Amino acid sequence: VLPPWMPGGVRANGSWGDGFGPIQDVSKYGDDYGWSLFYSGREWNYREGHNRDPMPDEVHAAEVVEFLGGNHSAPFLLTVGFSRPHSPWYAPQEFFDLFPLDSVQLTPILKNDAADCAKILTQDRDISEPWGWHKYEKIMRNGGEQQLRKWTQAYLACVSFVDAQVGKILDAIESREDADNTIVIFTSDHGYHMGEKEYLFKFSPWEESVRIPLVVSGPGIAKGLECFSPVSLIDIYPTCMDYGSAKTSYNLDGFSLRSLLEDPVAEAWAGPSVSVAVSGSKVPVEVNQPARAEDQHFSLRSMYFRYIRCRNGEEEFYDHRVDPNEWTNQIDNPHYRADILGLQQGLSAILNKTK
């Protein structure tokens, strides 16, 4: 399930999620090699490259462009999902060419960065899917920093590949008569570590995993401005309902982002002052039963700070005004006592609502 160009140690101990590289004719390596689609298992043909089968994300973009080319007199909501840059990190060669390997810069990584982090995370690796540490170690044992650079190149190539698909959709929107009456929301379900804290995955409570892109454009929405108020994915649905003048027959957990979108500088809205993320632990959960909140690891992000509380009581606190990489855990720094207390009480109030 791994391509023949991967290091032997990775191929011997890796899985499909470790693969990366340019899409190419793998049949040249032997009859045992070929591409197939992940879910259906259907054969995917490279042929001579210029006439290859489209990749799934290209299929999605083409379907959306076709839809947008039609006549739709009634208002509509169109949601589009792309796989990349999810693992495995394969993309056409031209997107790798955008990032020559010798020009690729690794993300800033601090040696022994995890030394002041919660031991239940960095030593016990108490996350339900702890693959991030395994993936990082696998790369460092099989090529070290240069292999990490190659992986970073692949990640960047996959991001650019998806950017090209998004561009096709935006062009199709711009060609429509109702383009000026269209709201576009671009976001993701999670972030990703690029080696920070010796971790290469999602599911962590730290900034690299929890923070996501959220870009919105449309009529009445401020242009070219950035909003620093922390918001959450659960706020997107109420926002769509608001702009669509639609009502729900039940209470929503999220809040409309409309006031922030129209005036991001004022940073005034009805939502909370923090966003909340959860990293599931290894505590077993019965099938079809909700996991207990007290068994999980929680991460709160305010405009300036991140506060982490693990299920065993260990805590972390970071000041993003001076430490955007979350390199220094300030949980024991008396200078931040009031800020820490505020977030501690905020999380306790949130958890009390789950009981």
Side-chain angles (χ1 to χ4, degrees), residues 120-139:
I120 194 173
L121 297 175
T122 58
Q123 293 184 8
D124 300 342
R125 300 182 175 182
D126 185 54
I127 293 180
S128 58
E129 295 188 14
W131 319 137
W133 291 289
H134 303 312
K135 286 178 177 290
Y136 180 82
E137 291 167 356
K138 200 177 300 180
I139 279 183

Side-chain angles (χ1 to χ4, degrees), residues 9 22 32 74 92 99 108 124 127 142 148 156 166 208 249 268 316 335:
D32 294 334
F99 306 97
D124 300 342
I127 293 180
N142 294 275
L148 182 60
L156 295 173
V166 172
E208 291 79 16
S249 58
E316 298 178 24
H335 173 75

Side-chain angles (χ1 to χ4, degrees), residues 13-333:
N13 302 293
S15 66
W16 64 270
D18 294 311
F20 61 83
I23 288 290
Q24 59 174 278
D25 180 11
V26 290
S27 65
K28 65 185 179 182
Y29 293 99
D31 296 336
D32 294 334
Y33 295 104
W35 297 107
S36 64
L37 297 178
F38 182 81
Y39 288 105
S40 67
R42 183 164 51 86
E43 182 179 343
W44 185 93
N45 292 301
Y46 179 83
R47 300 185 182 88
E48 288 79 38
H50 65 89
N51 57 351
R52 61 173 174 79
D53 289 339
M55 298 180 69
D57 287 342
E58 292 171 319
V59 173
H60 297 168
E63 291 175 344
V64 174
V65 169
E66 182 180 4
F67 174 85
L68 292 172
N71 294 319
H72 307 286
S73 57
F76 61 85
L77 171 67
L78 181 63
T79 61
V80 189
F82 292 113
S83 297
R84 294 294 176 266
H86 195 288
S87 59
W89 299 275
Y90 299 122
Q93 178 66 53
E94 57 264 33
F95 296 98
F96 280 78
D97 293 340
L98 296 174
F99 306 97
L101 189 59
D102 57 2
S103 69
V104 172
Q105 296 183 6
L106 298 180
T107 191
I109 297 177
L110 177 68
K111 187 177 181 180
N112 298 321
D113 182 17
D116 60 354
C117 295
K119 301 302 182 286
I120 194 173
L121 297 175
T122 58
Q123 293 184 8
D124 300 342
R125 300 182 175 182
D126 185 54
I127 293 180
S128 58
E129 295 188 14
W131 319 137
W133 291 289
H134 303 312
K135 286 178 177 290
Y136 180 82
E137 291 167 356
K138 200 177 300 180
I139 279 183
M140 299 311 289
R141 286 197 306 264
N142 294 275
E145 185 175 294
Q146 185 65 1
Q147 187 69 4
L148 182 60
R149 194 179 310 278
K150 292 179 180 178
W151 176 86
T152 302
Q153 178 195 40
Y155 192 96
L156 295 173
C158 288
V159 170
S160 293
F161 169 66
V162 164
D163 183 66
Q165 310 318 309
V166 172
K168 297 174 185 176
I169 295 173
L170 293 179
D171 287 343
I173 292 174
E174 288 297 326
S175 68
R176 290 179 56 84
E177 293 182 355
D178 55 7
D180 292 337
N181 192 38
T182 299
I183 294 175
V184 178
I185 301 174
F186 177 85
T187 190
S188 179
D189 54 344
H190 58 77
Y192 212 88
H193 282 254
M194 311 286 286
E196 303 93 341
K197 291 181 168 55
E198 300 179 356
Y199 193 88
L200 209 68
F201 197 52
K202 52 186 177 180
F203 276 129
S204 90
W206 298 298
E207 182 85 354
E208 291 79 16
S209 175
V210 177
R211 186 175 183 179
I212 58 172
L214 178 58
V215 183
V216 186
S217 69
I221 295 174
K223 297 182 179 180
L225 296 179
E226 186 175 358
C227 180
F228 295 95
S229 295
V231 299
S232 301
L233 285 171
I234 59 173
D235 300 318
I236 293 179
Y237 178 69
T239 303
C240 293
M241 297 293 285
D242 187 358
Y243 276 100
S245 299
K247 303 296 183 182
T248 63
S249 58
Y250 47 86
N251 294 325
L252 299 176
D253 290 325
F255 297 83
S256 173
L257 300 171
R258 188 166 189 158
S259 62
L260 292 177
L261 295 174
E262 294 176 349
D263 188 359
V265 177
E267 295 177 339
W269 76 313
S273 60
V274 298
S275 63
V276 184
V278 183
S279 295
S281 73
K282 291 182 179 179
V283 175
V285 180
E286 294 294 330
V287 176
N288 297 326
Q289 295 297 316
R292 298 196 315 162
E294 55 265 37
D295 288 337
Q296 317 311 317
H297 312 297
F298 284 85
S299 181
L300 266 64
R301 180 67 152 88
S302 67
M303 187 178 296
Y304 301 124
F305 307 119
R306 176 172 301 285
Y307 169 69
I308 297 171
R309 182 194 296 173
C310 298
R311 67 181 179 93
N312 67 344
E314 287 186 274
E315 299 171 298
E316 298 178 24
F317 179 87
Y318 301 97
D319 183 351
H320 275 258
R321 295 171 299 183
V322 296
D323 183 21
N325 296 302
E326 296 185 349
W327 281 346
T328 305
N329 181 6
Q330 302 279 6
I331 193 63
D332 295 322
N333 188 337

